[in-house]
Amino acid sequence: MPSHLFADRPAQPPEPGAVDALISQTRRLRGEVDAVRRDAVADEDDPQQRWQRALCDLAVHQLDSLGTHLGQLRAGVPVGAAPGDGTAPLHTAPHAAPATAPGAAYGAAAPPRTGSLLSRVGSAEWNLLTDEVSWSEELFQIFGRSRESGPMPLDEMPTMVFVEDQPALQGMVTDCLIDGKPIDGEFRIIRTDGQVRTVHMTGEPVLDTDGCTASMWAVLRDVSELRRSERAVRESRDSLERSRHRERTERRLAVELQEAVLPPWRGSLRFAHDGPAPLDVAAHYLPAASTGLIGGDWYDALALPDGDALLTVGDLTGHGVAATSSMAMLLGALRGMAVAGIRPAALMGHLNQLLETSVQPALGSAMCCRYDPVAQTLAWAQAGHPAPLLFRDGTGHVLRRPEGVLLGATGGTVYGEAETRLVPGDLLVLHTDGLTRGSGTDDDTGTRRLLALGPRLAEARDAQDGVRAVVEEFGEESREDDACVMVVRVTRRDQPGVTR
């Protein structure tokens, strides 16, 4: 067997770019070991040949395990032995294959290095004719048995084996001794020092000249760290799958709640159509780059009992079901107070108190507008929210904001209220800050890009065309947060439109 297959290798994690090269090298080494293994089956009666073949089988198993772990490493699955187990990586190996047969002669060789492959591989032979038992030195180490106690007879082995695993061991031994079948299986042992180890045993019967079983020969391998590593990988994979399932479930609930609360608009809608200058309104929700970040953004337009129209956009901190449920609560309260005739500034104060005393505390920005179609005035208040953009004759500007801090930030806040007169042809853009947020607090790049859309918005046939223009400008971006945009166009009574 080529000695380079068992050369010591440093226990250092490979660089990410070298994983594919390691996989290729592992496959090449496995092919070489296979070639040696085929040459090692010439003499079934030679103990040294049996030992060499067993080592080849073990090397193939090790290389297969290494290939599996490297594949998991390339796929991003955490692999490796459990922390603190004190063992070398599974692909470390001693300097050379032993040149002696199992038994006392092998045991007389220099003891292998601690943590090396052979320190976890031992051999045994149980002679059925003489009751003689031969154990290699490594097998005493694996079972934690003192050399003075001598090797363990077959009938004593079950005393160290887990009760649950005893039937499997007895079945393997019986099949080998009675039916001449090879052994290949695992069982767990409890050593005299209390340690629990997992042992993989492979073996075969040794027949006499009459074809009867004279002895049983086996290689026993301590695979405790390997099984612990595989269990850690399996548990990590299961945990990751459970986490993904929770995320998918939460996102589905958040989406369903959001869709149930936000207006199910399709196209432009006409509001405040009893006055001389009704409104043509359209809106759109833009998700964050990560589809799992369903947040607390909202938009709404509502025809009020006195003929006015409510226009509102807002954003609560957080994501998922918690954010969307708080958004639903806040939007429901806002609609109710607006229908009751409460003006925007006072309405903001009530929302601030509601959010401050909520069992699920959060911060929020919001803007609430009340449009009078008869006086053609827009009264509005804001809580830490971007001001509306007013476009007239293709030129836009930002309306001056009245005073107002974030909802839920402090109690007893008084909010200011502003009033703006609108004329037919005017167009308003209301949005949450996720649409135009820049790299810093003073970055107004997004707002300037919105204002630059003035000529395109002036050519829009209706509010839906205006929304489409904004989405074409901002919709393909990889934004960190979700956003809402609402376009409101002041029309004349004789202009065609869809009424609500």
Side-chain angles (χ1 to χ4, degrees):
M1 180 179 297
S3 61
H4 71 273
L5 296 181
F6 294 99
D8 287 333
R9 301 188 187 279
Q12 296 178 354
E15 294 295 327
V19 174
D20 287 335
L22 287 172
I23 292 174
S24 298
Q25 185 180 16
T26 301
R27 290 172 179 167
R28 178 179 58 79
L29 289 175
R30 192 190 187 285
E32 294 180 7
V33 174
D34 266 336
V36 175
R37 180 169 57 172
R38 286 193 296 270
D39 295 337
V41 296
D43 189 352
E44 291 287 342
D45 296 326
D46 186 349
Q48 184 171 339
Q49 291 279 13
R50 293 202 306 269
W51 176 245
Q52 188 177 19
R53 187 182 61 182
L55 284 178
C56 288
D57 290 338
L58 177 63
V60 168
H61 191 86
Q62 290 289 120
L63 290 169
D64 286 342
S65 296
L66 176 59
T68 299
H69 285 182
L70 288 173
Q72 292 167 345
L73 181 62
R74 182 171 60 182
V77 179
V79 297
D85 59 31
T87 62
L90 296 176
H91 57 280
T92 30
H95 292 287
T100 58
Y106 179 80
R113 298 178 301 105
T114 302
S116 69
L117 177 62
L118 283 188
S119 70
R120 289 179 280 138
V121 179
S123 64
E125 188 163 5
W126 291 271
N127 192 306
L128 305 182
L129 302 179
T130 64
D131 289 333
E132 181 184 0
V133 183
S134 298
W135 270 25
S136 70
E137 187 65 34
E138 291 72 27
L139 202 54
F140 286 96
Q141 298 177 22
I142 291 173
F143 277 76
R145 186 177 176 88
S146 67
R147 196 68 177 83
E148 293 74 19
S149 301
M152 184 179 295
L154 270 177
D155 56 0
E156 288 186 19
M157 281 192 65
T159 61
M160 297 188 68
V161 178
F162 270 50
V163 174
E164 299 90 331
D165 297 349
Q166 290 177 7
L169 174 62
Q170 293 169 352
M172 288 189 294
V173 172
T174 301
D175 288 345
C176 180
L177 299 180
I178 304 301
D179 300 327
K181 295 181 179 179
I183 291 175
D184 190 349
E186 290 185 8
F187 51 88
R188 294 164 295 172
I189 63 171
I190 304 178
R191 300 179 1 154
T192 54
D193 59 6
Q195 289 189 34
V196 175
R197 312 301 291 175
T198 301
V199 177
H200 185 193
M201 183 167 70
T202 58
E204 58 185 26
V206 179
L207 306 180
D208 59 18
T209 56
D210 297 327
C212 298
T213 302
S215 64
M216 188 182 82
W217 177 84
V219 171
L220 294 95
R221 174 181 170 221
D222 185 347
V223 294
S224 304
E225 281 68 45
L226 174 61
R227 297 297 173 255
R228 186 178 298 120
S229 172
E230 292 172 345
R231 185 168 59 251
V233 171
R234 186 168 57 253
E235 290 173 353
S236 296
R237 186 182 294 114
D238 292 343
S239 176
L240 180 62
E241 182 56 34
R242 288 193 299 270
S243 176
R244 287 173 176 170
H245 177 71
R246 286 195 300 269
E247 289 175 0
R248 289 193 297 266
T249 301
E250 182 173 347
R251 182 183 183 278
R252 177 177 55 81
L253 293 175
V255 169
E256 290 176 355
L257 181 57
Q258 184 189 62
E259 291 177 347
V261 174
L262 296 183
W265 294 345
R266 296 295 182 270
S268 297
L269 299 175
R270 187 71 71 89
F271 287 87
H273 49 273
D274 291 336
L279 301 180
D280 176 26
V281 181
H284 187 74
Y285 172 82
L286 294 92
S290 171
T291 55
L293 297 178
I294 302 298
D297 286 52
W298 80 78
Y299 62 84
D300 196 19
L302 185 67
L304 300 176
D306 59 0
D308 288 358
L310 169 72
L311 306 170
T312 178
V313 292
D315 178 18
L316 286 182
T317 56
H319 299 93
V321 175
T324 51
S325 60
S326 295
M327 177 267 287
M329 173 198 70
L330 208 65
L331 185 54
L334 190 153
R335 288 167 173 168
M337 287 186 284
V339 168
I342 297 177
R343 300 289 298 178
L347 194 152
M348 285 291 151
H350 292 309
L351 290 182
N352 179 63
Q353 183 179 7
L354 178 64
L355 203 57
E356 185 189 13
T357 58
S358 173
V359 294
Q360 205 167 41
L363 294 175
S365 71
M367 176 169 53
C368 179
C369 307
R370 191 179 184 104
Y371 175 68
D372 182 344
V374 176
Q376 297 178 213
T377 56
L378 183 80
W380 64 285
Q382 63 84 30
H385 199 85
L389 277 64
L390 174 60
F391 293 85
R392 181 173 293 171
D393 299 327
T395 301
H397 69 277
V398 181
L399 295 183
R400 190 167 188 174
R401 294 196 311 173
E403 292 294 325
V405 300
L406 287 171
L407 299 175
T410 180
T413 301
V414 177
Y415 290 86
E417 187 170 301
E419 187 171 290
T420 302
R421 180 171 176 80
L422 302 178
V423 299
D426 284 352
L427 187 142
L428 289 168
V429 175
L430 284 58
H431 64 89
T432 56
D433 64 353
L435 184 71
T436 58
R437 182 181 296 143
S439 57
T441 55
D442 297 329
D443 187 353
D444 63 347
T445 303
T447 301
R448 287 188 280 109
R449 286 171 58 193
L450 264 179
L451 292 173
L453 291 176
R456 290 180 60 186
L457 295 175
E459 297 174 358
R461 294 172 300 173
D462 53 20
Q464 185 61 34
D465 263 1
V467 167
R468 191 174 296 112
V470 175
V471 171
E472 287 175 356
E473 175 68 21
F474 292 91
E476 298 300 324
E477 296 180 0
S478 180
R479 64 179 50 81
E480 296 180 0
D481 200 2
D482 49 355
C484 290
V485 59
M486 177 185 290
V487 173
V488 182
R489 191 177 64 155
V490 183
T491 65
R492 295 187 302 273
R493 173 181 280 278
D494 57 351
Q495 267 187 296
V498 181
T499 59
R500 181 183 182 185

